[in-house]
């Protein structure tokens, strides 16, 4: 018995010193598509990210200027990490079935798409350098730009976004756009400025050709900008197997596409 414990201890130390992920670590997601260059840092070891690779809690995903990663999580949440982006999977705590009791990520910079899955609304938390987002069952894109401003556009459902100074707003519906700096949350003041903000910050609205069908949304609510890619967008109606299928539409809240009037914005919204 003493020899067994000694051998096991040496093996365990070897695993840690090598920076390897223990074999009993449980995958919480899977890469469904990747365009190079993209890397993942797991247990202090960085490696090239490939299609069908497992995603673990604590992973740090980075892409260069041409990289893109599409991920489906165990609760069927779907995330796209766009070019020149960095995303940390901070926590994914399983509850029952295909659900998580807590799903927290941190976006350091770049472009992202987030399509919620089957976990409860209260489970989701998304942090950026200037904002925290509580997700209320939705589909949305967001960016963290070079000035660390957080730009958000919703396509359906609702996102509650708060700045570091606790200025909060509820953003909902089709093509509702806001920007969060360190103190305030603001909307574009003219249709022209809204269009400019979309063109400069949301590449997946301009083109969804690089995305698999399960990662696409209806963007017609973004007006002429969205209409330019409508013919490229096909939204699947049925879900597929775990780690390979679409999310539950009912779990995301509103129907895809949102309100043609451009969504809603409620500054100073409270938690209720």
């Amino acid at each position: 018995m003493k020899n067994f414990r000694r051998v096991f201890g040496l093996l365990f130390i070897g695993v840690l010193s090598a920076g390897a992920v223990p074999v009993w670590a449980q995958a919480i997601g899977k890469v469904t598509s990747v365009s190079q260059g993209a890397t993942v840092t797991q247990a202090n070891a960085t490696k090239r990210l490939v299609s069908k690779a497992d995603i673990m809690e604590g992973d740090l995903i980075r892409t260069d200027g041409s990289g893109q990663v599409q991920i489906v999580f165990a609760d069927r949440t779907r995330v796209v990490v766009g070019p020149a982006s960095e995303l940390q999977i901070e926590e994914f705590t399983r509850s029952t079935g295909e659900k998580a009791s807590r799903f927290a990520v941190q976006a350091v910079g770049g472009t992202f798409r987030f399509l919620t899955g089957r976990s409860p609304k209260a489970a989701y938390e998304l942090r950026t350098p200037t904002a925290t987002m509580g997700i209320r069952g939705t589909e949305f894109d967001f960016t963290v730009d070079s000035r660390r401003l957080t730009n958000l556009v919703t396509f359906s459902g609702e996102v509650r976004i708060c700045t570091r100074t606790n200025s909060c707003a509820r953003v909902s519906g089709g093509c509702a756009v806001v920007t969060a700096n360190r103190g305030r949350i603001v909307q574009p003041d003219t249709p022209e400025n809204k269009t400019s903000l979309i063109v400069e910050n949301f590449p997946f609205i301009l083109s969804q050709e690089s995305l698999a069908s399960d990662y696409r949304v209806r963007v017609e609510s973004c007006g002429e900008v969205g209409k330019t890619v409508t013919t490229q967008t096909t939204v699947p109606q049925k879900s597929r197997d775990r780690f390979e299928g679409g999310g539950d539409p009912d779990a995301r809240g509103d129907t895809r596409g949102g309100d043609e009037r451009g969504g809603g914005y409620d500054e100073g919204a409270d938690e209720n």
Side-chain angles (χ1 to χ4, degrees):
M1 179 62 71
K2 290 182 177 179
N3 288 336
F4 173 80
R5 290 177 178 173
R6 183 172 181 273
V7 171
F8 181 82
L10 290 174
L11 288 174
F12 182 75
I13 293 171
V15 167
L16 294 181
S17 63
V21 178
V23 295
W24 55 85
Q26 189 175 35
I28 60 170
K30 188 173 289 292
V31 175
T32 60
S33 176
V34 59
S35 301
Q36 294 304 329
T39 63
V40 60
T41 301
Q42 293 178 337
N44 298 319
T46 299
K47 60 184 178 181
R48 183 185 180 197
L49 196 57
V50 296
S51 183
K52 299 183 180 180
D54 287 336
I55 297 298
M56 307 289 185
E57 186 179 69
D59 280 2
L60 176 61
I61 299 164
R62 291 189 180 99
T63 59
D64 63 18
S66 60
Q68 179 176 282
V69 183
Q70 299 175 58
I71 304 168
V72 59
F73 289 88
D75 69 339
R76 301 199 180 186
T77 293
R78 293 181 177 275
V79 174
V80 181
V81 182
S85 301
E86 183 173 333
L87 183 72
Q88 175 97 47
I89 313 301
E90 293 190 322
E91 184 177 349
F92 188 99
T93 304
R94 294 176 184 266
S95 55
T96 58
E98 296 181 341
K99 294 182 180 180
S101 59
R102 179 166 169 76
F103 189 165
V105 301
Q106 180 178 11
V108 178
T111 302
F112 308 89
R113 170 159 291 177
F114 206 100
L115 311 178
T116 56
R118 295 185 171 182
S119 295
K121 298 174 183 179
Y124 294 99
E125 182 182 55
L126 195 158
R127 295 192 299 118
T128 74
T130 52
T132 300
M133 287 176 263
I135 302 167
R136 303 294 183 257
T138 191
E139 300 168 331
F140 64 96
D141 289 359
F142 71 98
T143 65
V144 180
D145 65 21
S146 59
R147 298 172 294 169
R148 298 302 176 96
L149 300 180
T150 301
N151 303 294
L152 166 71
V153 56
T154 59
F155 305 108
S156 69
E158 180 181 284
V159 175
R160 184 175 186 267
I161 182 170
C162 296
T163 66
R164 295 302 189 191
T165 58
N166 291 322
S167 174
C168 299
R170 289 182 175 179
V171 186
S172 62
C175 209
V177 182
V178 298
T179 296
N181 56 34
R182 296 188 183 278
R184 294 187 58 205
I185 299 169
V186 296
Q187 280 185 305
D189 54 359
T190 67
E192 293 76 17
N193 286 341
K194 178 178 180 179
T195 297
S196 177
L197 186 65
I198 290 173
V199 170
E200 292 175 3
N201 291 279
F202 298 107
F204 299 138
I205 294 180
L206 303 181
S207 175
Q208 301 189 88
E209 286 186 321
S210 65
L211 304 181
S213 61
D214 289 344
Y215 295 81
R216 299 180 185 186
V217 298
R218 292 175 180 162
V219 294
E220 300 95 319
S221 54
C222 289
E224 294 301 320
V225 176
K227 288 177 182 177
T228 61
V229 297
T230 299
T231 57
Q232 303 170 3
T233 304
T234 301
V235 179
Q237 298 299 316
K238 63 180 181 179
S239 62
R240 311 187 198 280
D241 292 337
R242 183 170 178 262
F243 280 154
E244 293 295 334
D248 184 348
D250 293 336
R252 293 183 186 167
D254 296 350
T255 56
R256 295 176 183 262
D259 189 339
E260 291 183 357
R261 293 172 297 178
Y265 168 73
D266 181 12
E267 187 174 12
D270 58 22
E271 186 66 35
N272 297 319

